[in-house]
Structures are given as structure tokens and as C-alpha cells.
Amino acid sequence: MNYTYEQAEETAAFIKPYLEDEAYLAITLGSGFDACLGQVKMTYSIPYSELPHFPVTSVMGHQGILHIGKWAKKHVLIWSGRFHYYEGHSMQTITFPVRVTKLLGIHDLLLTNAAGGLLESMQPGSLMFIRDHINFQPENPLRGPHDSRWGPRFPDMNHVYDSEWITSWSHLAKLLNIPYHIGVYLGLQGPSLETPAEYSWFHQAGAHAVGMSTVPEAIVARQMGMRIGGISIISNVFNPYELTETTHEGVLQIGRASCRERVCSVV
Ligand code: HPA
């Protein structure tokens, strides 16, 4: 599916009446991050099936609901349910919620995910604040016809992830004794996990964590000039001397626990 600017405008026009006249933080929830929803005072919850032009998500742990409400003192718009390349979605579908977010006048975007850690010092459940990414997915979401209303054809990719957010999250994490890392996220197509040789190679290539999302959304948000934050929950850690099996259920379980105890405290 190749979405037009006008379709994103129609979806945004449908959502707009539900928003107050305030600055919002938009959050895309990764696997397990639905555990943070308990902390949000919801005003509206709209199933994706009611949103014009919206596809539905097929992955366990991804609700397919747009939540609007307040989290602590922040007004939040939460995409609970993301579209992944491995589900067969096009890059345009994957990034459609981010396009709609921008047309709602929202500038701040927090992308969250569960990821496989590549550093020996990482523990399952620790956080990684993303400072940069490597696009190792087979496509770029900006490939194809260019509509200049979205932004430049060749967006600069320095400083994609907001450094002030990283500093403030790190500060809070330190204060609260929450284990965290600041690192580079490498995005893959999935859905198979990586072989030991692949994990080792990605680490040598400069990645600190790997996952199957986030990068397309960050590229599109960057094109539109948004302020972007990225937080990974490290759900499993690659150890070449002790190979352990990674399952989606395990990823969700670690993600949910860490989200409740840690992410909610730093954001
Ligand atoms: N690889 C890719 N995606 C992931 C992983 C992993 O090890 N863990 C959670 N998401």
C-alpha cells in the first residue's frame, strides 16, 4: 500500500477532534510496552479498525488501539500496535502512523522496542537509549515517488535521536539505579532471529542492539523534522559462549516487567 498525503490528512482529521489544544507526546509501543498503559489515564481508546485507511496488526502483544490520554503530566497519543516489515507490510504502511502524527501537529515522538543486546555488560531487562541506528532492513521508507510536503527528498541523518532526551533519561535512570546503556540500534527485517555469526558480525559493525522495527519510523520522522527519542528494552543478550533460545513469549515477558518497573520511571 502506497499512502498519499491526502489519506494521511483524512486519518488525522478523524483523530483531531479527540485531542485537546495542548502539546502531545506521541509514543509507538514496542513488544511488551503495553504494560506501561496501566499508568496512563485514558480519555479515548480507538481501535485501528475505526481509523480511516488503517490496516490491522497481526502480532501477539500489539493491541491495534490508538490511546489518547495523560501520562503523569504529559498529554500522550499512544500507538499501541505497530506494523512490521516481517508481517508483509509495506514501508509506507509501517510509517503511516508517524505521518498521521505529524499532520496532527505533534512534534515529539518516542519510539520504543524490544531488542537483542550485543554487549557483554547488558542484562535482560536493562534499557538502551538509542543514540543512532543502522538501517539493515531491505528497503528505505522514502524510496519511490517523492511528495515534498513531507520534507526533503534526501534528509540529513545526523542527530536523528534527540540528545537532550538521552541526557535527561540517563540522569533519571542513574538516580533511580536503573541499568541503562546508550547505543546504536540495528534494524533487521526478521522474523527469524539472528544466528550467532550474525549477532557477532553486527556487533563488530558497530551495533549494540538489534531488532525488527523503529528504523523506518525514525527515518520518516526525521524527514518531517520531528523530535525523536528511542528506547529499547534489552530482552535477550547474545553470549557466544552460552547460546540461549529466544522466544517471542520471553521477549514479551521481559519487556512487560522492565517496562512497568523501569521505562515508566524515566520517561
Ligand atoms: N533479534 C531481533 N529482534 C529482537 C531480538 C533479537 O535478538 N530480541 C527482541 N527483538
PDB file of all heavy atoms in Angstrom, residues 143-158:
ATOM      1  N   ARG A 143      11.877   5.529  -0.287  1.00  0.00           N
ATOM      2  CA  ARG A 143      12.046   5.092  -1.676  1.00  0.00           C
ATOM      3  C   ARG A 143      10.728   5.307  -2.430  1.00  0.00           C
ATOM      4  O   ARG A 143       9.665   5.140  -1.859  1.00  0.00           O
ATOM      5  CB  ARG A 143      12.419   3.606  -1.679  1.00  0.00           C
ATOM      6  CG  ARG A 143      12.540   2.975  -3.027  1.00  0.00           C
ATOM      7  CD  ARG A 143      13.046   1.542  -2.879  1.00  0.00           C
ATOM      8  NE  ARG A 143      13.009   0.887  -4.163  1.00  0.00           N
ATOM      9  CZ  ARG A 143      11.976   0.175  -4.617  1.00  0.00           C
ATOM     10  NH1 ARG A 143      10.905   0.001  -3.862  1.00  0.00           N
ATOM     11  NH2 ARG A 143      12.015  -0.374  -5.810  1.00  0.00           N
ATOM     12  N   GLY A 144      10.833   5.675  -3.709  1.00  0.00           N
ATOM     13  CA  GLY A 144       9.617   5.828  -4.517  1.00  0.00           C
ATOM     14  C   GLY A 144       9.286   7.283  -4.745  1.00  0.00           C
ATOM     15  O   GLY A 144      10.093   8.166  -4.461  1.00  0.00           O
ATOM     16  N   PRO A 145       8.069   7.528  -5.261  1.00  0.00           N
ATOM     17  CA  PRO A 145       7.696   8.908  -5.594  1.00  0.00           C
ATOM     18  C   PRO A 145       7.847   9.817  -4.376  1.00  0.00           C
ATOM     19  O   PRO A 145       7.543   9.414  -3.252  1.00  0.00           O
ATOM     20  CB  PRO A 145       6.218   8.794  -5.984  1.00  0.00           C
ATOM     21  CG  PRO A 145       5.983   7.360  -6.259  1.00  0.00           C
ATOM     22  CD  PRO A 145       6.994   6.574  -5.502  1.00  0.00           C
ATOM     23  N   HIS A 146       8.308  11.043  -4.628  1.00  0.00           N
ATOM     24  CA  HIS A 146       8.558  11.978  -3.527  1.00  0.00           C
ATOM     25  C   HIS A 146       7.475  13.050  -3.484  1.00  0.00           C
ATOM     26  O   HIS A 146       7.168  13.664  -4.504  1.00  0.00           O
ATOM     27  CB  HIS A 146       9.935  12.635  -3.717  1.00  0.00           C
ATOM     28  CG  HIS A 146      10.227  13.690  -2.704  1.00  0.00           C
ATOM     29  ND1 HIS A 146      10.236  13.436  -1.354  1.00  0.00           N
ATOM     30  CD2 HIS A 146      10.500  15.009  -2.832  1.00  0.00           C
ATOM     31  CE1 HIS A 146      10.509  14.539  -0.699  1.00  0.00           C
ATOM     32  NE2 HIS A 146      10.664  15.518  -1.561  1.00  0.00           N
ATOM     33  N   ASP A 147       6.897  13.257  -2.317  1.00  0.00           N
ATOM     34  CA  ASP A 147       5.947  14.352  -2.118  1.00  0.00           C
ATOM     35  C   ASP A 147       6.630  15.357  -1.195  1.00  0.00           C
ATOM     36  O   ASP A 147       6.842  15.079  -0.015  1.00  0.00           O
ATOM     37  CB  ASP A 147       4.657  13.802  -1.479  1.00  0.00           C
ATOM     38  CG  ASP A 147       3.567  14.863  -1.382  1.00  0.00           C
ATOM     39  OD1 ASP A 147       3.906  16.058  -1.252  1.00  0.00           O
ATOM     40  OD2 ASP A 147       2.379  14.486  -1.425  1.00  0.00           O
ATOM     41  N   SER A 148       6.961  16.503  -1.747  1.00  0.00           N
ATOM     42  CA  SER A 148       7.789  17.452  -0.990  1.00  0.00           C
ATOM     43  C   SER A 148       7.051  18.042   0.208  1.00  0.00           C
ATOM     44  O   SER A 148       7.679  18.655   1.070  1.00  0.00           O
ATOM     45  CB  SER A 148       8.293  18.572  -1.901  1.00  0.00           C
ATOM     46  OG  SER A 148       7.174  19.244  -2.438  1.00  0.00           O
ATOM     47  N   ARG A 149       5.729  17.834   0.320  1.00  0.00           N
ATOM     48  CA  ARG A 149       5.019  18.321   1.506  1.00  0.00           C
ATOM     49  C   ARG A 149       5.495  17.594   2.758  1.00  0.00           C
ATOM     50  O   ARG A 149       5.350  18.075   3.871  1.00  0.00           O
ATOM     51  CB  ARG A 149       3.496  18.145   1.334  1.00  0.00           C
ATOM     52  CG  ARG A 149       2.903  19.124   0.341  1.00  0.00           C
ATOM     53  CD  ARG A 149       1.446  18.835   0.074  1.00  0.00           C
ATOM     54  NE  ARG A 149       1.256  17.606  -0.698  1.00  0.00           N
ATOM     55  CZ  ARG A 149       0.083  17.139  -1.109  1.00  0.00           C
ATOM     56  NH1 ARG A 149      -1.023  17.800  -0.806  1.00  0.00           N
ATOM     57  NH2 ARG A 149      -0.010  16.026  -1.818  1.00  0.00           N
ATOM     58  N   TRP A 150       6.079  16.394   2.585  1.00  0.00           N
ATOM     59  CA  TRP A 150       6.566  15.653   3.759  1.00  0.00           C
ATOM     60  C   TRP A 150       7.931  16.144   4.231  1.00  0.00           C
ATOM     61  O   TRP A 150       8.317  15.888   5.359  1.00  0.00           O
ATOM     62  CB  TRP A 150       6.674  14.157   3.446  1.00  0.00           C
ATOM     63  CG  TRP A 150       5.375  13.439   3.259  1.00  0.00           C
ATOM     64  CD1 TRP A 150       4.994  12.688   2.188  1.00  0.00           C
ATOM     65  CD2 TRP A 150       4.287  13.363   4.199  1.00  0.00           C
ATOM     66  NE1 TRP A 150       3.743  12.159   2.394  1.00  0.00           N
ATOM     67  CE2 TRP A 150       3.286  12.564   3.615  1.00  0.00           C
ATOM     68  CE3 TRP A 150       4.061  13.907   5.467  1.00  0.00           C
ATOM     69  CZ2 TRP A 150       2.081  12.281   4.255  1.00  0.00           C
ATOM     70  CZ3 TRP A 150       2.855  13.633   6.100  1.00  0.00           C
ATOM     71  CH2 TRP A 150       1.894  12.830   5.498  1.00  0.00           C
ATOM     72  N   GLY A 151       8.685  16.752   3.322  1.00  0.00           N
ATOM     73  CA  GLY A 151      10.038  17.164   3.700  1.00  0.00           C
ATOM     74  C   GLY A 151      11.002  16.849   2.576  1.00  0.00           C
ATOM     75  O   GLY A 151      10.578  16.510   1.460  1.00  0.00           O
ATOM     76  N   PRO A 152      12.304  16.950   2.832  1.00  0.00           N
ATOM     77  CA  PRO A 152      13.291  16.793   1.763  1.00  0.00           C
ATOM     78  C   PRO A 152      13.370  15.371   1.197  1.00  0.00           C
ATOM     79  O   PRO A 152      13.086  14.399   1.884  1.00  0.00           O
ATOM     80  CB  PRO A 152      14.613  17.159   2.439  1.00  0.00           C
ATOM     81  CG  PRO A 152      14.362  17.129   3.900  1.00  0.00           C
ATOM     82  CD  PRO A 152      12.899  17.282   4.130  1.00  0.00           C
ATOM     83  N   ARG A 153      13.759  15.309  -0.045  1.00  0.00           N
ATOM     84  CA  ARG A 153      13.986  14.013  -0.714  1.00  0.00           C
ATOM     85  C   ARG A 153      15.153  13.252  -0.076  1.00  0.00           C
ATOM     86  O   ARG A 153      15.141  12.042   0.061  1.00  0.00           O
ATOM     87  CB  ARG A 153      14.299  14.289  -2.192  1.00  0.00           C
ATOM     88  CG  ARG A 153      14.894  13.152  -2.983  1.00  0.00           C
ATOM     89  CD  ARG A 153      13.878  12.346  -3.765  1.00  0.00           C
ATOM     90  NE  ARG A 153      13.313  11.255  -3.035  1.00  0.00           N
ATOM     91  CZ  ARG A 153      12.586  10.250  -3.568  1.00  0.00           C
ATOM     92  NH1 ARG A 153      12.324  10.219  -4.848  1.00  0.00           N
ATOM     93  NH2 ARG A 153      12.105   9.296  -2.848  1.00  0.00           N
ATOM     94  N   PHE A 154      16.189  14.018   0.319  1.00  0.00           N
ATOM     95  CA  PHE A 154      17.411  13.408   0.867  1.00  0.00           C
ATOM     96  C   PHE A 154      17.651  13.945   2.284  1.00  0.00           C
ATOM     97  O   PHE A 154      18.560  14.753   2.499  1.00  0.00           O
ATOM     98  CB  PHE A 154      18.618  13.737  -0.016  1.00  0.00           C
ATOM     99  CG  PHE A 154      18.448  13.323  -1.450  1.00  0.00           C
ATOM    100  CD1 PHE A 154      18.202  14.263  -2.444  1.00  0.00           C
ATOM    101  CD2 PHE A 154      18.526  11.988  -1.813  1.00  0.00           C
ATOM    102  CE1 PHE A 154      18.042  13.881  -3.773  1.00  0.00           C
ATOM    103  CE2 PHE A 154      18.368  11.591  -3.141  1.00  0.00           C
ATOM    104  CZ  PHE A 154      18.119  12.541  -4.131  1.00  0.00           C
ATOM    105  N   PRO A 155      16.844  13.530   3.255  1.00  0.00           N
ATOM    106  CA  PRO A 155      17.015  14.109   4.595  1.00  0.00           C
ATOM    107  C   PRO A 155      18.356  13.749   5.219  1.00  0.00           C
ATOM    108  O   PRO A 155      18.837  12.622   5.051  1.00  0.00           O
ATOM    109  CB  PRO A 155      15.867  13.513   5.400  1.00  0.00           C
ATOM    110  CG  PRO A 155      15.283  12.442   4.579  1.00  0.00           C
ATOM    111  CD  PRO A 155      15.749  12.571   3.176  1.00  0.00           C
ATOM    112  N   ASP A 156      18.928  14.722   5.893  1.00  0.00           N
ATOM    113  CA  ASP A 156      20.174  14.504   6.618  1.00  0.00           C
ATOM    114  C   ASP A 156      19.906  13.533   7.773  1.00  0.00           C
ATOM    115  O   ASP A 156      18.835  13.569   8.372  1.00  0.00           O
ATOM    116  CB  ASP A 156      20.654  15.857   7.158  1.00  0.00           C
ATOM    117  CG  ASP A 156      21.956  15.721   7.901  1.00  0.00           C
ATOM    118  OD1 ASP A 156      22.989  15.569   7.237  1.00  0.00           O
ATOM    119  OD2 ASP A 156      21.929  15.755   9.149  1.00  0.00           O
ATOM    120  N   MET A 157      20.869  12.673   8.068  1.00  0.00           N
ATOM    121  CA  MET A 157      20.643  11.671   9.117  1.00  0.00           C
ATOM    122  C   MET A 157      21.620  11.826  10.291  1.00  0.00           C
ATOM    123  O   MET A 157      21.852  10.875  11.031  1.00  0.00           O
ATOM    124  CB  MET A 157      20.743  10.259   8.534  1.00  0.00           C
ATOM    125  CG  MET A 157      19.517   9.835   7.780  1.00  0.00           C
ATOM    126  SD  MET A 157      18.150   9.406   8.899  1.00  0.00           S
ATOM    127  CE  MET A 157      16.811  10.191   8.067  1.00  0.00           C
ATOM    128  N   ASN A 158      22.188  13.023  10.441  1.00  0.00           N
ATOM    129  CA  ASN A 158      22.918  13.298  11.673  1.00  0.00           C
ATOM    130  C   ASN A 158      21.907  13.644  12.747  1.00  0.00           C
ATOM    131  O   ASN A 158      20.868  14.211  12.445  1.00  0.00           O
ATOM    132  CB  ASN A 158      23.857  14.501  11.490  1.00  0.00           C
ATOM    133  CG  ASN A 158      25.078  14.133  10.698  1.00  0.00           C
ATOM    134  OD1 ASN A 158      25.674  13.085  10.923  1.00  0.00           O
ATOM    135  ND2 ASN A 158      25.450  14.994   9.765  1.00  0.00           N
TER     136      ASN A 158
END
